[in-house]
Amino acid sequence: MSQGLEKRSRCYVRVRCEIDADGSLTPIAVLWRPGRAYEITKVSRRESWPCLGTGRGTRFTVWFGGYQTYLWWDTNRWYVMSRPPRTAKEVVFTSSG
């Protein structure tokens, strides 16, 4: 399996995203832990994926600068199975917008 992702546990995260007129989600920033938010610089792929919790969801291939990882939307929660990027640009992430 790819880069040991199977040995890591889920980390539920807050995500700032845009919702298009057709209802599609596009993540733009991730809050890994309080005070540590990272700007998503590129979303290169969005695909249906059988998430463990509900059996359905979406997996996004996202980039934080030069760091690539997966971000999952499990129909009601976002999660990652990796550590926060070390070299990515941190952004301000507030609950109001």
Side-chain angles (χ1 to χ4, degrees):
M1 290 190 188
S2 176
Q3 300 175 2
L5 289 177
E6 74 284 356
K7 295 180 182 179
R8 296 184 183 171
S9 61
R10 283 189 216 182
C11 176
Y12 290 98
V13 293
R14 290 180 57 197
V15 174
R16 173 149 307 129
C17 63
E18 293 179 347
I19 303 173
D20 296 335
D22 65 1
S24 62
L25 295 171
T26 302
I28 57 175
V30 174
L31 177 68
W32 247 278
R33 55 184 171 256
R36 304 298 292 224
Y38 301 92
E39 177 183 15
I40 294 172
T41 55
K42 179 181 176 183
V43 178
S44 62
R45 190 171 190 172
R46 176 182 315 152
E47 57 191 317
S48 294
W49 198 261
C51 293
L52 297 174
T54 61
R56 63 181 193 273
T58 305
R59 183 178 81 170
F60 296 83
T61 303
V62 297
W63 294 83
F64 300 92
Y67 178 85
Q68 177 199 346
T69 193
Y70 297 115
L71 174 65
W72 285 270
W73 169 244
D74 191 3
T75 68
N76 64 353
R77 295 183 357 171
W78 292 95
Y79 67 91
V80 294
M81 294 179 90
S82 61
R83 294 181 290 274
R86 293 182 185 179
T87 60
K89 178 182 175 186
E90 288 192 36
V91 295
V92 175
F93 196 105
T94 62
S95 59
S96 61

